[in-house]
Amino acid sequence: MRIEEIEHLLEPLRDELRNHQLYNELNSVSDIRIFMESHVYAVWDFMSLLKALQINLTCTTLPWRPVSNTNTARFINEIVLEEETDVNELGVLKSHYEMYLDAMVEVGADTTEITDFLTSIENLDSVLETIESIELNAAVKSFLNFTFETIKTQQPHKIAAAFTFGREDLIPDMFLKIVDQAGEDAYPKLEYYLRRHIELDGDDHGPLSLKMIQELCGEDEAKWHDVLECSEKALQQRIHLWDHIAEAIQKNKEITV
């Protein structure tokens, strides 16, 4: 099994994600607001997957030692640089998660729930208990549980699979259409975040993440099967999250009609 076969086997789930009803529901800034209030958890846990890869694939302990694969180490360090300390539309250094929060505020979305959630997490050992104990939609909880259960395996190829597949490739394009309809410069923070997302994922992060999986699996067939299984679960979790958000948007439209 190789990366081409993985991509082929995942195509039905990826097609389901690409053609999800959610995209037909995104017609206004109000719809974006509802989307962002749930999707922000995926923006945040993406960073946790990234940091788990950094811990496993680069040297983050003392004394420093050279890593076994400098190609994957460089890739991860480059992504950390861009995701954790990128430049926003004003030239200020911020993480992409913080840029997303700024964009949420800009469109009037509520950031209280996610910020309170992060404040309540003490450490990795307690994160699953914290997720279970707080008031969150079941789809969001399931999405987060899958992420942190994968991280806790401490197996880089599985973490890399969850990191690489199931990305929301269509969302930036959908958002930009709505932002454009709102008028030029109406939502500069959101527009900048989306265009930056498209630029990095399309040109750099996407192709490099596939190469990372190839290097992590090598000739180990068991690892390739793990990657397929984990990727399928990641896509299924993303579809389940999209189902929830689409339903929430539909309900809001029924209330406001």
Side-chain angles (χ1 to χ4, degrees):
M1 188 177 294
R2 292 294 179 267
I3 200 71
E4 295 81 7
E5 186 177 354
I6 295 283
E7 290 190 296
H8 174 71
L9 292 170
L10 293 177
E11 197 58 27
L13 285 171
R14 297 181 81 174
D15 274 344
E16 186 176 348
L17 197 56
R18 291 189 196 104
N19 298 306
H20 198 282
Q21 173 64 25
L22 171 63
Y23 307 120
N24 295 326
E25 300 296 337
L26 291 170
N27 300 309
S28 68
V29 173
S30 176
D31 299 335
I32 289 180
R33 191 180 302 128
I34 294 169
F35 175 89
M36 295 180 83
E37 288 174 355
S38 289
H39 178 243
V40 65
Y41 291 92
V43 175
W44 169 71
D45 82 345
F46 172 84
M47 291 301 300
S48 295
L49 286 167
L50 175 58
K51 299 304 283 187
L53 288 171
Q54 187 180 34
I55 290 167
N56 280 277
L57 301 177
T58 74
C59 184
T60 59
T61 58
L62 295 173
W64 178 87
R65 292 180 177 85
V67 296
S68 58
N69 191 322
T70 53
N71 289 328
T72 54
R74 181 180 177 88
F75 166 60
I76 291 301
N77 283 332
E78 285 179 352
I79 294 189
V80 169
L81 176 66
E82 291 165 343
E83 294 283 348
E84 197 169 39
T85 56
D86 204 358
V87 179
N88 74 0
E89 82 285 357
L90 299 174
V92 178
L93 291 173
K94 284 196 173 186
S95 68
H96 284 191
Y97 167 76
E98 291 169 303
M99 290 185 199
Y100 197 88
L101 287 186
D102 289 344
M104 288 180 70
V105 172
E106 184 179 54
V107 300
D110 183 14
T111 61
T112 305
E113 188 179 78
I114 181 67
T115 52
D116 288 349
F117 169 66
L118 262 64
T119 301
S120 68
I121 298 173
E122 295 180 1
N123 52 53
L124 181 61
D125 292 334
S126 66
V127 66
L128 291 174
E129 289 79 2
T130 303
I131 292 167
E132 188 59 35
S133 66
I134 65 172
E135 290 188 15
L136 270 179
N137 179 274
V140 176
K141 282 190 176 185
S142 179
F143 191 92
L144 292 174
N145 280 331
F146 167 75
T147 294
F148 285 97
E149 285 165 1
T150 302
I151 288 172
K152 285 194 169 190
T153 68
Q154 293 295 306
Q155 294 181 273
H157 65 290
K158 292 182 179 180
I159 300 170
F163 175 88
T164 299
F165 294 103
R167 289 186 163 195
E168 55 274 29
D169 296 333
L170 293 178
I171 284 297
D173 288 333
M174 295 296 301
F175 274 24
L176 284 171
K177 288 179 184 178
I178 298 169
V179 169
D180 288 343
Q181 290 171 5
E184 189 176 356
D185 298 327
Y187 300 102
K189 294 183 184 297
L190 179 57
E191 182 169 356
Y192 180 88
Y193 174 87
L194 294 169
R195 294 196 187 282
R196 188 70 175 138
H197 182 89
I198 292 169
E199 177 187 356
L200 290 175
D201 283 355
D203 295 343
D204 298 316
H205 294 179
L208 287 172
S209 63
L210 295 176
K211 187 175 180 181
M212 172 179 62
I213 288 178
Q214 287 178 310
E215 296 201 7
L216 288 173
C217 292
E219 301 298 322
D220 191 327
E221 286 299 319
K223 286 185 177 180
W224 281 109
H225 284 287
D226 286 344
V227 164
L228 176 60
E229 182 180 6
C230 191
S231 300
E232 287 174 336
K233 289 179 179 178
L235 285 164
Q236 288 161 352
Q237 288 292 334
R238 180 74 66 175
I239 291 167
H240 185 41
L241 181 62
W242 268 205
D243 290 342
H244 152 64
I245 297 174
E247 183 180 348
I249 293 173
Q250 289 167 356
K251 286 182 178 178
N252 183 65
K253 287 177 179 177
E254 291 170 1
I255 293 171
T256 55
V257 168

